[in-house]
Amino acid sequence: MKTLGNVLWFILGGVFMAIGWFVAGCFWCITIIGIPVGVQSFKMAGLSLFPFGKTVTYSNKTSSVIFNILWLIFGGLEIAVSHFVIGCIFCITIIGIPFGKQHFKLGKLALMPFGATVN
């Protein structure tokens, strides 16, 4: 199921999300101050490409909490809400539930990308 889900995800839009995150990460990495945000964008790109079978673990370091709050203020909240809305739309049908769950995973990562590890 993991392989089939990843192939369908890739074909039906995952590649476009990953390209978008990768391009955003490249733009963020142009400045020294933006490099931490760029690294998180690359993390989102990797998970957006093939999300099935991957897990996200979170640490609760103080620096991660501060960066996550700044991330929420400067755009992370809108990204997370869009993933949650798309996930709810996918969960309307039984066939779409696995894809909705992946959007919920991406939405949670979009809320708190700093201190998260994708395995």
Side-chain angles (χ1 to χ4, degrees), residues 10-64:
F10 184 83
I11 292 170
L12 298 175
V15 67
F16 300 115
M17 280 194 300
I19 289 171
W21 277 110
F22 182 77
V23 169
C26 289
F27 280 122
W28 275 107
C29 287
I30 290 173
T31 64
I32 293 173
I33 296 171
I35 290 175
V37 178
V39 170
Q40 300 313 312
S41 297
F42 294 142
K43 186 186 301 183
M44 291 289 292
L47 187 61
S48 294
L49 200 55
F50 298 113
F52 287 90
K54 293 185 181 175
T55 58
V56 180
T57 56
Y58 296 93
S59 68
N60 51 2
K61 297 178 187 174
T62 306
S63 62
S64 298

Side-chain angles (χ1 to χ4, degrees), residues 1-2 4-6 8-9 51-53 86-87 89-106:
M1 180 65 187
K2 178 177 79 167
L4 178 62
N6 279 327
L8 286 173
W9 181 273
F52 287 90
I86 293 169
I89 292 170
F90 269 112
C91 286
I92 291 173
T93 64
I94 293 174
I95 295 172
I97 290 175
F99 295 100
K101 288 173 64 175
Q102 300 311 312
H103 274 288
F104 294 145
K105 183 182 354 178
L106 287 166

Side-chain angles (χ1 to χ4, degrees), residues 74-85:
F74 294 110
L77 188 61
E78 291 85 3
I79 298 166
V81 168
S82 66
H83 276 296
F84 290 136
V85 168

